[in-house]
């Protein structure tokens, strides 16, 4: 299994039969007046595939030279995408455990990734940018930079693939038109960095988790906070809607 004791990220395959984990030992954020960088101090930089029913490790994926910070299965479960503090994304063949391609373009660590619903595109957030990639070629289609020199911590596609959400240490969420590469609106209210974002299944609402120890529910059409969820005693690092959108 993993040799790291610091941080792991985990996701399930679309059919629920497998789990994929990524790990690293340590990261250090180095901030300057121009951007945020991540220094890797050694550790377990692998992804590992597990059989959920038996708990056995099936496959190990090696190639990153920095900690693995984010992982995702493609919608059909055939491929996996990983983001790392080595400033790259990597696409993997799940069955073979082989790297297909590397995506290079970020100038700092990649902290969040997401596949589009049709699996053709990928979003990545890190350094001070959000990037859109063509999965088949590894080419960067466009970058979104309105977060202004502040680490992008989380990204998400809407269910129809037309819009993206990003959350950043600048304490905002931002809604983007994917086709035009334009910011539609900014969501303000958190008093700490935004670590996690998610769309509701119908795309009408957004959920965010922040270092200010709260979650917020937002109206996507207006950018207004609908509800504040308090109760955590530390920063919120992950959020999700239930499949029917009734719970978070």
């Amino acid at each position: 299994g993993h040799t790291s004791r610091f941080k792991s990220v985990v996701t399930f395959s679309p059919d629920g039969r497998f789990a994929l984990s990524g790990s690293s030992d340590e990261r250090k954020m180095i901030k300057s007046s121009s951007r945020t960088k991540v220094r890797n101090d050694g550790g377990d930089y692998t992804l590992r595939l597990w059989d959920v029913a038996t708990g056995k490790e099936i496959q190990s994926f090696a190639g990153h030279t920095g900690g693995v910070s984010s992982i995702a299965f493609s919608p059909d479960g055939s491929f996996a995408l990983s983001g790392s503090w080595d400033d790259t994304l990597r696409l993997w063949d799940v069955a073979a455990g082989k790297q297909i391609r590397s995506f290079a373009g970020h100038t700092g660590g990649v902290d969040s990734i997401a596949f589009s619903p049709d699996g053709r595109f990928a979003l990545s957030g890190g350094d001070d940018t959000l990037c859109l990639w063509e999965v088949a070629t590894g080419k960067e289609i466009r970058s979104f930079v309105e977060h202004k020199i502040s680490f992008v911590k989380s990204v998400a596609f809407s269910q129809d693939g037309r819009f993206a959400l990003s959350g950043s240490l600048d304490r905002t969420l931002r809604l983007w038109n994917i086709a035009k590469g334009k910011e539609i609106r900014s969501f303000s209210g958190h008093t700490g960095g935004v670590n996690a974002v998610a769309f509701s299944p119908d795309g009408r609402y957004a959920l965010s988790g922040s270092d200010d120890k709260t979650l917020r529910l937002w109206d996507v059409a207006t950018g207004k906070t609908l509800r504040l969820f308090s109760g955590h005693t530390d920063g919120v690092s992950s959020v999700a809607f239930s499949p029917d959108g009734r719970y978070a």
Side-chain angles (χ1 to χ4, degrees), residues 39-153:
R39 187 175 77 221
N40 297 289
D41 290 340
D44 177 0
Y45 302 150
T46 65
L47 290 77
R48 294 176 192 258
L49 183 69
W50 309 85
D51 185 308
V52 172
T54 66
K56 291 183 178 180
E57 181 181 328
I58 300 169
Q59 196 79 259
S60 178
F61 306 75
H64 279 299
T65 58
V68 178
S69 55
S70 185
I71 50 179
F73 274 101
S74 62
D76 66 3
S78 299
F79 305 101
L81 193 65
S82 56
S84 169
W85 301 321
D86 65 9
D87 306 353
T88 71
L89 293 78
R90 294 175 194 250
L91 183 70
W92 310 85
D93 183 311
V94 171
K98 302 294 185 183
Q99 179 181 310
I100 298 171
R101 64 182 52 89
S102 177
F103 303 69
H106 282 285
T107 56
V110 178
D111 225 41
S112 183
I113 56 172
F115 271 104
S116 62
D118 62 8
R120 295 174 56 206
F121 304 101
L123 277 172
S124 60
D127 46 55
D128 56 355
T129 61
L130 173 71
C131 294
L132 179 70
W133 309 85
E134 184 177 54
V135 172
T137 63
K139 291 182 179 178
E140 182 182 325
I141 298 172
R142 62 178 56 92
S143 62
F144 311 75
V145 296
E146 276 76 359
H147 272 297
K148 308 291 186 190
I149 314 172
S150 191
F151 211 78
V152 178
K153 295 284 291 180

Side-chain angles (χ1 to χ4, degrees), residues 1-11 19-25 43-50 55 57 59-62 67-69 71:
H2 288 291
T3 60
S4 169
R5 294 179 297 168
F6 180 70
K7 178 184 178 183
S8 292
V9 287
V10 181
T11 190
L20 190 64
S21 58
S23 185
S24 66
D25 276 345
D44 177 0
Y45 302 150
T46 65
L47 290 77
R48 294 176 192 258
L49 183 69
W50 309 85
E57 181 181 328
Q59 196 79 259
S60 178
F61 306 75
V68 178
S69 55
I71 50 179

